[in-house]
Amino acid sequence: MLPIFHPVKQVGTLVDMASTRAEPLTLEVVELIGTVVARYHEEYEHAAAQHSLTGAQARVLSLLALEPLPMRRIAVSLRCEPSNVTGIVDRLEARGLVERRPDPADRRVKLAAPTEEGLATALRLRDALDFAREPLAGLSVAERTLLRDLLRRMLGEPAGS
Amino acid sequence: MLPIFHPVKQVGTLVDMASTRAEPLTLEVVELIGTVVARYHEEYEHAAAQHSLTGAQARVLSLLALEPLPMRRIAVSLRCEPSNVTGIVDRLEARGLVERRPDPADRRVKLAAPTEEGLATALRLRDALDFAREPLAGLSVAERTLLRDLLRRMLGEPAGS
DNA sequence: TATTGTTATACTCTATAACTATA
DNA sequence: TATAGTTATAGAGTATAACAATA
């Protein structure tokens, strides 16, 4: 697994409650997705913790590893209030993983950018996130293609290759 | 979507970083799973918020709706320290959604159980979690079966029906 | 002694509102 | 006037450590 995110812990509760709305197959798929979500978060939090980062800090650092961003844009990506980003970047900056630079085009803007050490940490973080990559290796190319198309359709995306 | 969980916000960052380890197909599946995870959490948090519950509170309430549990068991399910459960159950109890009962078999134990109102809230919460149920309806039975088997294999579970 | 639940403490994330400096 | 970022504040979740009651 690679992307982003936060805490998660438990699986399989509501699904078990008498449901009159969905048949067993659908419920089982829902349950499996719940398990995937749980696994995903555990992997992510664990990988972050290995670098003494919280989930939010790891998300921001990973985001900035792609490109430096204004504080505002970080908030949009994280879907949180801009005021929260101040603290998260403060902590990353205090650890020397991120720095704030002025934006030549707009003096109101501060661009958060990873330091060399921050970039290295982000790369190591990514390599630690093997949740999806490893289990996916057990599927053939045809199966992964199938899974991709099914997930795309489930997410309402175009199914094409 | 039904089960459990917590915050999540952003998708698709680390995946985009130059990866020398996985080919494009696998990375795309990983990205899609990240999107599923994000969607899952948004749905869950939104459903919880509709009942003025936090994600953690909704998780615990949903868990107890299946069966009353000792505080310790709740902590195990949530994968957090038992001391945290005290506060979460406190808040649910203050709202009249949960109550603490003695365990006749062991006087050290307190069983957390949903009140009638708590049970009703848990059921309404479940009904609000349509993330998986609804998009899954767009897949045929054969496709859902396929998705189920692929997810099972990805999670290292037996693939049988 | 070991276990259950709680309390006390400290840190992080979160949203809201008010503030500043720019635009 | 509007926007970017910050500060101040308060609530919630989290872990750690120490505690009382019970086993």
Side-chain angles (χ1 to χ4, degrees), chain A residues 86-97:
Chain A
T86 299
I88 297 170
V89 169
D90 278 352
R91 282 161 221 128
L92 288 170
E93 195 165 32
R95 290 187 45 190
L97 301 175

Side-chain angles (χ1 to χ4, degrees), chain B residues 94-117:
Chain B
R95 290 188 45 190
L97 300 175
V98 159
E99 63 182 10
R100 275 179 250 233
R101 302 174 187 159
D103 182 340
D106 186 338
R107 279 161 44 193
R108 291 175 303 182
V109 172
K110 290 178 188 171
L111 292 171
T115 62
E116 199 170 320
E117 185 189 345

Side-chain angles (χ1 to χ4, degrees), chain A residues 70-91:
Chain A
M71 305 298 280
R72 210 84 187 180
R73 291 273 304 279
I74 299 174
V76 171
S77 281
L78 260 56
R79 303 199 198 176
C80 70
E81 294 302 312
S83 60
N84 301 325
V85 178
T86 299
I88 297 170
V89 169
D90 278 352
R91 282 161 221 128

Side-chain angles (χ1 to χ4, degrees), chain A residues 21-88:
Chain A
R21 299 182 50 182
E23 83 288 18
L25 177 57
T26 296
L27 287 180
E28 190 179 351
V29 174
V30 169
E31 186 93 19
L32 284 165
I33 291 172
T35 303
V36 168
V37 171
R39 183 92 57 96
Y40 185 105
H41 277 262
E42 282 173 32
E43 287 274 337
Y44 199 90
E45 290 290 316
H46 181 256
Q50 282 182 320
H51 297 280
S52 301
L53 294 170
T54 64
Q57 289 164 9
R59 287 204 294 284
V60 170
L61 185 58
S62 301
L63 194 61
L64 299 180
L66 294 172
E67 59 172 339
L69 290 175
M71 305 298 280
R72 210 84 187 180
R73 291 273 304 279
I74 299 174
V76 171
S77 281
L78 260 56
R79 303 199 198 176
C80 70
E81 294 302 312
S83 60
N84 301 325
V85 178
T86 299
I88 297 170

